[in-house]
């Protein structure tokens, strides 16, 4: 989402400033990675690209350091309009201060940076420090700091707030309905450790911050210098990092009732989403939990206190789990502390059933588990009778082989047809969220293409399945079992029925938990559409053109035609 808008705007601005402000003389090299501009785009708040943006920038540059430029009088601008002066040092770029005195004068009007050195440190920090997928561990983990998300409830149509807080080991994941005002009003604005931490700087500072990052990327750099850059960036990150929080920082609310994320609390007769409640107490129920629980399960958050303020609904956001994944990556994970003391590494295990388990439903629907040595999920859908745009889709994912959840599933959005959605709105079942919260098909065409991922609808059903299977979790146990699960045309009701039957068959059958997120570190939160490896590419519609572990397909799929039927 960010890459599609901010990247294009900022990249055009940055490249325009680069040629219009610097000229071509003495400039060589290209960015070291294709995703680097996207990382830049996520860092700085820059004025929209308008016909006057560059002229305003040049006027400011001439005002603050005019002696460094020779501006041609010709009206049409080109990269030759600004030329290097003979006295410019050969190893510097035009437009950047060459001496300490020039640098200090250049930032005299700054509010956030007291020196050019501080600006360079900020640019270095922003280039190298961004959220990444936390590494899986064999022990229980919880979030390092709490994070808050605001959004519209799909069923309520009102603003809902949810705060995920640290919890002790063996507490598991549980929900608490809290009164209005309990969650601090500005807590959702915390961005430290994320890609939006520079939203308090002026336009002038933002422009120079971006240009300093471009200068760094365009410079020829040795491997040793790159390593030193990363070491320095890590040092800067630790200095500005907010302290970790503990469960004691989030005391219980008077009279609170905990709703454990457990199969015991699943309501009967589920329709569009998962609903958890205490028996006979609808005032403490929580609805639409599947996306958040899916992200927590897949990212390795075993213990968490989840405070829900509003109508008891988890916000739908964009219909995927990506916002939760991003926030988990931003705050990071730590070992869940044992309230009784100890070394802070409480073991974590997984269910490993040894019997075949199957549940069937109407219209050929089924879910089946077969024993195996690793977790593998396969999901199929058939919406041909409603929309051939959705049609038939199958997807399969082995977490330890096919890539991380944040790449493979997190961005997959909920989906449906315009006809069904309008019927739900008329019936009052839905009151919030539409084209910004789901992938919608209108007859045999997509209403709001493109898809974020190949087979996005099947992948989203897999995302939902993980969230519902997470309810199998117990203290010290992961939710998703080890083995192969195949689902076809299932829904939340079937997911819950299957999970209960599977858990009953798995009594006492446990094994060491799988480590899902142990792939080589990648910038999966860099706002590129998929967090790709260097040898992986997608076309503009999200279809992978090459690279290992792309999906279950053995050859590259053809380009998608949104006017065709599938």
């Amino acid at each position: 989402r960010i890459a599609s808008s901010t990247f294009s705007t900022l990249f055009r601005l940055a490249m325009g400033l680069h040629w219009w402000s610097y000229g071509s003389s003495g400039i060589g090299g290209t960015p070291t990675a294709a995703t680097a501009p996207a990382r830049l785009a996520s860092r700085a708040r820059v004025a929209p690209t308008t016909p006057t943006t560059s002229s305003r920038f040049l006027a400011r540059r001439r005002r603050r350091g005019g002696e460094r430029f020779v501006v041609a009088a010709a009206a049409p601008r080109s990269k030759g309009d600004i030329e290097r002066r003979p006295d410019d040092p050969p190893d510097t770029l035009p437009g950047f201060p060459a001496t300490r005195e020039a640098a200090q004068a250049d930032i005299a009007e700054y509010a956030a940076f007291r020196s050019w050195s501080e600006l360079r440190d900020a640019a270095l920090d922003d280039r190298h420090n961004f959220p990444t997928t936390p590494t899986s561990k064999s022990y229980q983990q919880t979030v390092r700091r709490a994070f808050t998300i605001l959004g519209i409830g799909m069923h309520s149509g009102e603003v809902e707030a949810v705060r995920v807080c640290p919890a002790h080991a063996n507490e598991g994941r549980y929900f608490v309905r809290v009164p209005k005002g309990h969650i601090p009003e500005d807590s959702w604005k915390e961005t430290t450790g994320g890609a939006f931490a520079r939203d308090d700087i002026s336009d002038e500072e933002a422009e120079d911050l971006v240009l300093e990052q471009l200068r760094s990327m365009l410079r020829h750099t040795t491997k040793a210098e790159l390593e030193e850059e990363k070491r320095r960036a890590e040092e800067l990150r630790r200095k500005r990092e907010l302290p970790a929080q503990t469960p004691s920082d989030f005391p219980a609310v008077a009279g609170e009732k905990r709703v454990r994320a457990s199969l015991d609390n699943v309501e009967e007769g589920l329709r569009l989403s998962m609903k958890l409640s205490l028996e006979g107490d609808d005032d403490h129920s929580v609805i639409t939990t599947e996306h958040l629980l899916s992200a927590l399960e897949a990212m390795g958050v075993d213990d968490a206190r989840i405070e829900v303020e509003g109508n008891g609904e988890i916000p739908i956001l964009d219909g995927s789990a990506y916002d939760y994944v991003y926030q988990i990556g931003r705050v990071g994970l730590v070992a869940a502390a044992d309230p009784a003391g100890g070394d802070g590494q409480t073991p974590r295990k997984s269910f490993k059933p040894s019997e075949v388990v199957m549940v069937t439903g109407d219209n050929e629907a089924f879910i089946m588990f077969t024993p195996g040595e690793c977790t593998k999920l396969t999901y199929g859908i058939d919406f041909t009778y409603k929309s051939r745009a959705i049609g038939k889709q199958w997807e399969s994912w082995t977490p330890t082989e096919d890539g991380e959840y944040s790449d493979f599933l997190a961005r997959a959005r909920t989906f449906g047809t315009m006809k069904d959605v309008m019927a739900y709105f008329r019936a009052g079942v839905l009151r919030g969220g539409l084209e910004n919260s789901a992938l919608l098909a209108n007859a045999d065409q997509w209403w709001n293409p493109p898809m974020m991922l190949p087979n996005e609808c099947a992948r989203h059903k897999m995302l939902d399945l993980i969230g519902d299977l997470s309810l199998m979790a117990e203290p010290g146990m992961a939710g998703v079992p080890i083995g192969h699960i195949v689902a076809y045309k299932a829904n939340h009701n079937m997911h819950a029925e299957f999970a209960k039957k599977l858990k009953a068959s798995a009594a006492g059958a446990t094994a060491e938990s799988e480590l899902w997120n142990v792939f080589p570190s990648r910038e999966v939160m860099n706002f590129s559409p998929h967090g790709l490896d260097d040898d992986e590419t997608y076309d503009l519609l999200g279809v992978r053109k090459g690279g290992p572990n792309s999906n279950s397909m053995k050859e590259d799929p053809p380009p998608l035609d949104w006017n065709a039927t599938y």
Side-chain angles (χ1 to χ4, degrees):
R1 297 185 306 281
I2 300 296
S4 64
S5 57
T6 311
F7 165 70
S8 58
T9 300
L10 183 54
F11 187 71
R12 287 196 302 270
L13 172 63
M15 290 298 100
L17 294 177
H18 166 63
W19 289 115
W20 290 350
S21 301
Y22 294 165
S24 60
S25 175
I27 297 179
T30 57
T32 57
T35 57
R39 298 173 198 159
L40 286 180
S42 65
R43 296 308 188 276
R45 177 171 56 83
V46 182
T49 305
T50 66
T52 60
T53 298
S54 293
S55 60
R56 285 190 288 107
F57 174 81
L58 292 176
R60 177 173 65 83
R61 277 292 183 181
R62 289 195 293 270
R63 184 178 72 251
R64 292 168 48 192
E67 72 283 353
R68 293 186 51 80
F69 296 99
V70 176
V71 183
R77 284 197 178 91
S78 69
K79 60 185 180 182
D81 285 351
I82 302 175
E83 302 173 355
R84 182 187 295 275
R85 289 179 60 92
D87 57 345
D88 275 339
D91 60 342
T92 63
L93 298 176
F96 289 94
T99 65
R100 184 187 301 260
E101 293 75 16
Q104 204 63 40
D106 202 35
I107 56 96
E109 302 172 14
Y110 282 1
F113 305 114
R114 292 172 295 180
S115 66
W116 192 268
S117 177
E118 283 192 10
L119 174 70
R120 294 187 66 181
D121 282 348
L124 179 65
D125 188 20
D126 284 354
R127 264 194 70 198
H128 289 277
N129 291 323
F130 32 77
T132 56
T133 301
T135 304
S136 295
K137 303 293 183 182
S138 60
Y139 51 82
Q140 296 178 47
Q141 296 187 98
T142 188
V143 289
R144 181 180 174 276
R145 288 184 60 83
F147 66 84
T148 302
I149 285 183
L150 299 181
I152 299 297
M154 181 175 67
H155 298 285
S156 69
E158 299 180 12
V159 176
E160 310 283 354
V162 58
R163 180 167 68 166
V164 179
C165 312
H168 287 114
N170 293 325
E171 284 189 327
R173 299 178 283 255
Y174 64 91
F175 295 88
V176 177
R177 294 281 297 272
V178 297
K180 185 176 181 179
H182 174 80
I183 299 177
E185 185 176 351
D186 293 336
S187 61
W188 64 274
K189 296 181 179 179
E190 181 183 304
T191 57
T192 299
F196 308 108
R198 301 290 175 190
D199 60 357
D200 59 345
I201 62 178
S202 68
D203 288 345
E204 293 185 0
E205 291 168 317
E207 289 169 353
D208 283 357
L209 190 66
V210 172
L211 290 174
E212 181 61 42
Q213 292 177 0
L214 284 173
R215 179 195 190 195
S216 176
M217 288 191 300
L218 292 169
R219 186 179 63 235
H220 292 292
T221 309
T222 65
K223 185 176 180 180
E225 289 173 331
L226 284 173
E227 291 300 320
E228 176 59 24
E229 252 193 14
K230 292 181 179 179
R231 185 202 65 77
R232 173 63 176 160
E234 177 64 16
E235 178 183 307
L236 293 169
R237 182 191 65 80
R238 290 179 177 176
K239 283 184 178 180
R240 67 171 172 80
E241 190 174 57
L242 292 174
Q245 294 174 317
T246 65
S248 59
D249 294 323
F250 306 92
V253 178
E256 77 172 25
K257 293 185 179 181
R258 294 184 176 184
V259 181
R260 290 183 57 240
S262 166
L263 291 171
D264 297 334
N265 294 325
V266 174
E267 278 204 1
E268 299 294 334
L270 299 171
R271 300 186 66 182
L272 299 180
S273 55
M274 180 59 66
K275 185 175 182 180
L276 305 175
S277 64
L278 300 176
E279 186 175 356
D281 188 358
D282 199 55
D283 291 338
H284 292 83
S285 64
V286 184
I287 193 170
T288 321
T289 62
E290 58 270 14
H291 299 170
L292 172 56
L293 290 178
S294 181
L296 294 175
E297 172 76 14
M299 298 290 281
V301 183
D302 304 291
D303 306 285
R305 172 188 173 88
I306 307 168
E307 298 177 342
V308 182
E309 182 181 303
N311 297 281
E313 183 173 356
I314 307 301
I316 188 63
L317 304 176
D318 70 341
S320 76
Y322 182 73
D323 282 324
Y324 300 116
V325 168
Y326 173 83
Q327 292 295 337
I328 293 168
R330 180 182 69 81
V331 300
L333 303 183
V334 294
D338 187 343
D343 61 2
Q345 295 188 1
T346 307
R348 174 183 189 259
K349 296 198 176 281
S350 296
F351 292 109
K352 190 178 181 182
S354 57
E355 301 175 359
V356 174
V357 176
M358 187 169 183
V359 169
T360 60
D362 298 331
N363 300 319
E364 304 175 333
F366 71 88
I367 311 179
M368 180 176 68
F369 171 87
T370 56
E373 294 305 314
C374 66
T375 299
K376 183 174 183 177
L377 304 174
T378 301
Y379 216 114
I381 62 172
D382 185 356
F383 276 72
T384 308
Y385 69 103
K386 288 189 175 183
S387 169
R388 287 185 293 173
I390 302 174
K392 301 178 178 70
Q393 296 183 20
W394 279 93
E395 190 59 84
S396 189
W397 179 53
T398 303
T400 56
E401 297 176 359
D402 295 335
E404 298 169 351
Y405 175 91
S406 54
D407 291 337
F408 202 90
L409 295 180
R411 286 183 172 89
R413 296 162 292 170
T414 191
F415 65 95
T417 65
M418 287 296 294
K419 182 178 179 180
D420 286 346
V421 169
M422 291 300 100
Y424 286 133
F425 266 90
R426 286 193 295 268
V429 177
L430 298 181
R431 295 186 178 89
L434 188 58
E435 59 182 339
N436 295 325
S437 302
L439 179 64
L440 298 176
N442 187 25
D444 293 338
Q445 296 185 11
W446 292 109
W447 177 267
N448 54 346
M451 291 191 289
M452 296 293 292
L453 296 166
N455 294 327
E456 182 172 355
C457 301
R459 292 195 189 200
H460 182 81
K461 293 295 289 185
M462 198 180 299
L463 182 156
D464 281 347
L465 178 62
I466 293 173
D468 294 342
L469 290 177
S470 74
L471 300 174
M472 293 176 60
E474 293 181 350
M477 299 291 296
V480 179
I482 296 175
H484 189 185
I485 297 175
V486 181
Y488 179 61
K489 297 170 68 173
N491 55 30
H492 288 292
N493 256 335
M494 286 188 65
H495 292 172
E497 181 185 353
F498 171 76
K500 291 176 181 178
K501 189 173 180 179
L502 183 60
K503 186 173 182 180
S505 73
T510 64
E512 294 296 323
S513 62
E514 284 192 331
L515 304 181
W516 286 10
N517 301 316
V518 291
F519 294 90
S521 178
R522 291 206 301 268
E523 302 84 359
V524 299
M525 302 298 169
N526 66 3
F527 296 105
S528 67
H530 306 275
L532 303 179
D533 286 325
D534 290 341
D535 56 350
E536 295 174 337
T537 58
Y538 275 77
D539 66 19
L540 294 178
L541 298 180
V543 178
R544 185 170 296 200
K545 307 298 288 185
N549 298 326
S550 60
N551 50 42
S552 57
M553 294 180 288
K554 299 301 182 183
E555 58 186 28
D556 293 340
L560 295 181
D561 179 1
W562 297 113
N563 294 318
T565 56
Y566 294 88

